[in-house]
Amino acid sequence: QVQLVESGGGLVQPGGSLRLSCAASGNILFINAMGWYRQAPGKQRELVATITRGGILNYADAMKGRFTISRDNAKNTVYLQMNSLKPEDTAVYYCYGNVRAAGTYYATEYWGQGTQVTVSS
């Protein structure tokens, strides 16, 4: 059983910063891409950023220059540093990982339960 658990969400004022973490655990052989999506009330889930096992990055345009994704392969953990936060960044942030688990023949996507980020004065 593979689990992804996010942490680091909360309430922050506009212009502030937060750092999200997502740790994967279980019988993991390796993790391919990891990343973050978010979903605001009444909106569809949207891409925030992804990172491959080799470190290739991809950001949604609205996050470029403000958000930084990174990962620690030894810890099976992905991070999202969010700076210059805006009220429109308010959403539930979900992490995912494309995980090859022990005893399986192919990788599968797993998702975390989500962590709330609220940007408000």
Side-chain angles (χ1 to χ4, degrees):
Q1 184 76 14
V2 174
Q3 288 187 321
L4 275 66
V5 179
E6 300 105 334
S7 60
L11 173 64
V12 63
Q13 292 187 341
S17 299
L18 280 176
R19 188 187 193 219
L20 305 182
S21 300
C22 173
S25 62
N27 293 324
I28 297 171
L29 292 179
F30 58 84
I31 304 177
N32 295 312
M34 301 186 80
W36 294 90
Y37 281 69
R38 69 185 187 185
Q39 188 166 19
K43 295 187 177 181
Q44 290 187 331
R45 190 174 295 191
E46 64 175 352
L47 169 72
V48 174
T50 62
I51 181 169
T52 67
R53 183 174 179 81
I56 297 174
L57 309 177
N58 181 47
Y59 293 96
D61 287 343
M63 290 68 166
K64 288 180 180 178
R66 299 190 300 124
F67 292 9
T68 302
I69 189 171
S70 61
R71 65 188 282 177
D72 184 331
N73 290 333
K75 295 181 179 180
N76 290 330
T77 299
V78 63
Y79 306 96
L80 185 68
Q81 177 66 44
M82 304 185 293
N83 299 328
S84 302
L85 283 162
K86 306 174 182 179
E88 52 263 43
D89 293 317
T90 296
V92 177
Y93 285 69
Y94 298 91
C95 76
Y96 87 95
N98 186 255
V99 180
R100 173 77 183 275
T104 64
Y105 293 100
Y106 49 85
T108 303
E109 282 197 349
Y110 291 86
W111 291 83
Q113 80 287 352
T115 186
Q116 177 70 45
V117 172
T118 302
V119 184
S120 176
S121 55

